[in-house]
């Protein structure tokens, strides 16, 4: 009798395993169907997954299985299989089947707007999914893993890992969708400023912000205003800052961050930059806005990969391949006069906005482009809505380094052009950081790729009025972890006198000048004494015209 029961339970266990494997395969098919917008395939995959998961649960419910769960050694493994089957069945019911009805096209622009009602419904779907994942993780906690055999233990661990991986994404989606309808004017009109930073004149947050596109949003309908240029801000330099300034920021960067409109993005804190922008706006534009979205040409190139080429009013065509060189460098060769450059940039802003809001693109590709840009610090957002602010506060998109070291021990390395030119386009940077006993050490290598032949052909707007065409002066500002102290600083292996230093943003900050002549390489080595570093090392840096390679070592060699 024991042998018969044992054989029966073994067969059921193998059957459960087969059904669970098939269910997970169907779940993957649902995921692919959602991404390509195939609702029929998604629904069929969800139904198949539901049937397989229910079958897995069914074979773990008879009296023989229950009897064997009480046996020593084998019992805990059978309990684990049953719980995994129940968790999978719950996931399919609570998460997969609702997700199969998701239409990513609901995120697409139609006739210059987004369907706010559809976004609201999506929010409910993702809220249910987030709750389902939390419920599944709670179910797996009931499994006693101390006596599990290898295959069963691996199965439980894999499911838990998968849930923990998708959980934060689901939570983030739920949180974003919960505030998106209001941000799109569902509860009243909103006004935003789309800010374009030019990396060819480096600033801590990206570059000189010289073009701004006001946007009015009401019940999902998005209407662009007239492009504002930095030339619309009059009377520079102002005798007094246009907004109140943090004395610590002034100590590092000077009060020009509030007196020159080209310099407010020098401060590597986006909320501070937006506060100063409010001052310029109130002084010369005389309108109000509730949020600012900042973007650079590299991020635009990612977006153009989703939208396809855009033809400007000037006849120029922007593509994902030429957007960066054209917007940051070639434009100054094609259009030597400042007014012509301004018209070109205004046309680019207007044309790209029109293309994106036309809806003629894959929403999946657009979302991927925006996520990539945000991860690189090329897409920043700040709002006066506390719920929206809370969502981005802990992310790279906030443009605000963490206020502690719990989640990440962040080192900041920022570049600010001192040449008064557009020659940052010819700079590349690489950063290495590592942990040592009681310290965080790092190295930043700044490389000028400017050749004599290139320098001889540069138009005046690129060379600037203060330095020779062959020369590039850059201010590098290094921030240590929260609560640390600067221990050492060298430039090309020699001690260097900082231009300024002190505490800023709860961190030690030190600024030095790096002077490059044509093809040139300079190395900055720094070390910060730390009482405690809690989270893993991370680096925040200026998004340059090209990607900055970053290498992080858990321990210095």
């Amino acid at each position: 009798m024991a042998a018969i029961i044992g054989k029966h339970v073994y067969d059921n266990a193998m059957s459960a395993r087969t059904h669970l494997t098939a269910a997970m395969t169907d779940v993957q098919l649902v995921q692919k169907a959602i991404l390509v917008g195939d609702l029929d395939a998604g629904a069929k995959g969800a139904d198949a997954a539901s049937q397989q998961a229910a079958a897995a649960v069914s074979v773990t419910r008879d009296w023989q299985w229950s009897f064997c769960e009480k046996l020593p050694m084998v019992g805990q493994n059978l309990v684990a299989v049953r719980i995994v089957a129940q968790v999978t069945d719950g996931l399919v019911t609570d998460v997969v089947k609702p997700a199969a009805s998701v239409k990513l096209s609901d995120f697409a622009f139609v006739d210059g707007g987004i369907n706010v009602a559809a976004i609201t419904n999506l929010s409910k779907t993702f809220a249910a999914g987030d709750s389902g994942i939390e419920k599944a993780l709670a179910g797996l906690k009931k499994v006693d893993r101390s006596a599990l055999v290898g295959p069963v233990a691996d199965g439980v661990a894999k499911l838990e890992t998968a849930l923990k991986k998708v959980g934060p994404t689901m939570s983030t989606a739920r949180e974003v969708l919960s505030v998106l309808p209001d941000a799109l004017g569902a509860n009243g009109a909103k006004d935003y400023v789309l800010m374009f930073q030019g990396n060819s004149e480096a600033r801590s947050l990206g570059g000189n912000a010289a073009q701004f596109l006001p946007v009015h949003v009401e019940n999902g309908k998005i209407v662009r205003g007239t492009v504002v240029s930095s030339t619309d801000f009059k009377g520079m330099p102002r005798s007094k800052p246009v907004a109140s300034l943090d004395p610590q920021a002034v100590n590092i960067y000077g009060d020009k961050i509030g007196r020159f409109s080209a310099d407010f993005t020098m401060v590597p804190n986006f909320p501070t930059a937006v506060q100063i922008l409010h001052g310029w706006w109130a002084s010369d534009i005389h309108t109000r806005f509730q949020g600012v979205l900042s973007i650079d040409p590299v991020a635009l190139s990612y977006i153009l990969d989703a939208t396809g080429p855009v033809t400007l009013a000037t006849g120029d065509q922007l593509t994902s391949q030429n957007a960066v060189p054209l917007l940051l460098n070639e434009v100054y060769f094609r259009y030597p006069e400042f007014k012509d450059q301004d018209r070109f940039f205004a046309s680019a802003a207007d044309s790209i906005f029109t293309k994106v809001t036309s809806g003629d693109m894959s929403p999946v590709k657009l979302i991927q482009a925006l996520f990539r840009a945000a991860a690189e610090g090329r897409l920043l957002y700040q709002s006066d809505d506390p719920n929206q602010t809370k969502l981005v506060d802990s992310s790279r998109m906030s443009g605000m380094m963490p206020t502690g070291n719990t989640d990440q021990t962040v080192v900041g390395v920022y570049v600010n052009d001192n040449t008064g030119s557009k020659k940052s386009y010819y700079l590349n940077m690489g950063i290495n950081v590592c942990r040592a006993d009681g310290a965080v050490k790092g190295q930043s290598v700044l490389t000028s790729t400017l050749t004599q032949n290139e320098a001889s052909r540069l138009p005046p707007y690129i060379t600037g009025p203060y330095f020779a065409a062959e020369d590039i002066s850059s201010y590098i500002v290094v921030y240590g972890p929260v609560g640390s102290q600067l221990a050492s600083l060298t430039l090309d292996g020699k001690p260097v006198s900082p231009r300024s230093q002190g505490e800023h943003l709860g961190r030690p900050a030190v600024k030095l000048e790096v002077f490059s002549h044509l093809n040139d390489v300079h190395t900055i080595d720094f070390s910060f004494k730390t009482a405690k570093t809690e989270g893993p090392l991370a680096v925040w840096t200026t998004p340059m015209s090209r990607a900055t390679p970053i290498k992080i070592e858990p321990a210095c060699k």
Side-chain angles (χ1 to χ4, degrees):
M1 178 64 71
I4 294 174
I5 293 175
K7 177 65 166 57
H8 172 80
V9 171
Y10 174 81
D11 289 343
N12 279 8
M14 293 300 100
S15 177
R17 177 181 178 182
T18 299
H19 287 304
L20 290 173
T21 300
M24 297 312 294
T25 299
D26 290 327
V27 168
Q28 292 173 351
L29 293 176
V30 172
Q31 182 183 25
K32 292 178 180 177
I34 292 172
L35 291 178
V36 298
D38 190 340
L39 291 180
D40 288 339
K44 290 178 181 178
D47 287 341
S50 179
Q51 292 173 11
Q52 295 289 355
V57 171
S58 177
V59 297
T60 65
R61 280 181 170 170
D62 60 25
W63 70 267
Q64 295 96 327
W65 189 284
S66 299
F67 173 79
C68 289
E69 281 188 2
K70 298 178 177 60
L71 299 176
M73 296 183 66
V74 70
Q76 286 302 319
N77 288 277
L78 294 176
V79 169
V81 172
R82 174 174 54 80
I83 291 177
V84 167
Q86 292 171 344
V87 165
T88 303
D89 187 45
L91 274 174
V92 171
T93 301
D94 299 335
V95 181
V96 178
K97 294 194 77 171
S101 65
V102 168
K103 294 188 293 181
L104 291 181
S105 58
D106 287 338
F107 289 99
F109 291 91
V110 178
D111 297 327
I114 294 179
N115 188 334
V116 175
I119 297 295
T120 301
N121 289 331
L122 278 176
S123 176
K124 296 175 182 177
T125 299
F126 276 86
D130 189 33
S131 176
I133 289 174
E134 290 181 0
K135 179 181 174 183
L137 285 169
L140 289 180
K141 286 182 179 180
K142 299 176 183 178
V143 177
D144 180 1
R145 306 185 193 188
S146 60
L148 299 185
V149 296
V152 176
D154 288 345
V156 174
K158 285 180 180 179
L159 180 57
E160 184 176 60
T161 299
L163 289 173
K164 287 183 175 180
K165 184 177 180 180
V166 74
T169 302
M170 185 68 74
S171 295
T172 300
R174 173 185 59 78
E175 291 170 349
V176 170
L177 289 169
S178 70
V179 301
L180 195 54
D182 184 60
L184 290 170
N187 302 312
K190 301 283 186 180
D191 289 286
Y192 300 97
V193 171
L194 183 58
M195 182 172 91
F196 298 90
Q197 295 196 60
N199 318 75
S200 55
E201 187 174 354
R203 297 290 186 265
S204 294
L205 291 174
N208 177 1
Q211 298 288 323
F212 308 85
L213 180 63
V215 175
H216 181 80
V217 183
E218 190 165 1
N219 199 30
K221 189 72 174 180
I222 303 173
V223 180
R224 66 185 182 279
T226 302
V227 174
V228 173
S229 168
S230 58
T231 57
D232 293 316
F233 303 133
K234 305 301 182 182
M236 287 186 289
R238 294 290 175 90
S239 58
K240 295 181 180 180
V242 296
S244 60
L245 302 177
D246 177 1
Q248 292 184 344
V250 172
N251 176 52
I252 302 298
Y253 301 97
D255 70 352
K256 65 179 182 177
I257 57 177
R259 296 191 303 112
F260 289 85
S261 68
D263 292 339
F264 71 93
T265 50
M266 281 186 172
V267 183
N269 185 273
F270 193 53
T272 298
V274 170
Q275 176 197 353
I276 300 172
L277 178 60
H278 271 289
W280 286 108
W281 217 261
S283 173
D284 293 296
I285 311 303
H286 309 299
T287 60
R288 296 179 62 83
F289 55 84
Q290 287 77 52
V292 178
L293 183 71
S294 173
I295 198 166
D296 71 5
V298 179
L300 287 177
S301 74
Y302 302 159
I303 293 172
L304 287 166
D305 192 43
T307 65
V310 172
T311 301
L312 311 187
T314 59
D316 298 282
Q317 187 178 67
L318 276 181
T319 70
S320 59
Q321 287 75 35
N322 75 1
V324 173
L326 180 54
L327 292 170
L328 294 179
N329 184 255
E330 293 171 13
V331 59
Y332 304 111
F333 290 89
R334 295 189 188 185
Y335 304 101
E337 296 297 322
F338 179 77
K339 289 184 178 179
D340 293 330
Q341 296 166 13
D342 236 19
R343 280 192 285 269
F344 171 85
F345 288 125
S347 176
D350 188 69
S351 299
I352 294 171
F353 180 85
T354 300
K355 182 73 171 181
V356 170
T357 56
S358 71
D360 184 22
M361 79 198 81
S362 161
V364 176
K365 280 191 172 184
L366 179 61
I367 291 169
Q368 290 172 339
L370 295 176
F371 269 100
R372 181 182 179 186
E376 296 175 6
R378 303 184 185 280
L379 182 70
L380 305 175
Y381 180 69
Q382 202 272 336
S383 169
D384 63 6
D385 184 300
N387 292 321
Q388 295 180 40
T389 300
K390 183 180 177 181
L391 285 180
V392 299
D393 262 358
S394 59
S395 72
R396 188 68 178 86
M397 195 174 178
S398 70
M400 183 172 61
M401 285 186 287
T403 56
N405 301 324
T406 303
D407 296 324
Q408 289 183 322
T409 300
V410 170
V411 172
V413 181
Y414 297 99
V415 183
N416 288 282
D417 173 70
N418 183 48
T419 317
S421 74
K422 306 297 180 183
K423 286 186 283 189
S424 298
Y425 180 77
Y426 298 97
L427 295 177
N428 293 322
M429 185 165 62
I431 303 170
N432 298 330
V433 296
C434 62
R435 257 197 182 110
D437 289 338
V440 170
K441 297 182 178 182
Q443 183 181 85
S444 176
V445 179
L446 192 69
T447 303
S448 168
T449 64
L450 184 64
T451 67
Q452 182 64 67
N453 181 52
E454 288 172 324
S456 66
R457 297 187 304 106
L458 294 179
Y461 203 77
I462 291 183
T463 59
Y466 308 115
F467 288 79
E470 297 85 358
D471 299 331
I472 306 175
S473 173
S474 305
Y475 284 143
I476 309 299
V477 186
V478 183
Y479 285 79
V482 171
S484 64
Q485 294 178 321
L486 179 67
S488 65
L489 180 71
T490 64
L491 176 61
D492 297 328
K494 299 177 181 179
V496 60
S497 298
R499 288 293 184 128
S500 60
Q501 69 181 109
E503 183 174 329
H504 183 223
L505 304 174
R507 302 166 177 271
V510 57
K511 181 174 79 173
L512 67 155
E513 182 182 9
V514 176
F515 185 85
S516 301
H517 179 76
L518 295 176
N519 291 110
D520 217 348
V521 179
H522 294 284
T523 302
I524 302 167
D525 288 286
F526 53 86
S527 176
F528 292 92
K529 182 180 179 182
T530 57
K532 187 178 183 181
T533 55
E534 300 171 355
L537 281 178
V539 174
W540 284 36
T541 187
T542 297
M544 305 285 280
S545 302
R546 288 162 293 279
T548 296
I550 295 174
K551 184 178 181 181
I552 298 175
E553 301 273 7
C556 297
K557 296 179 180 178

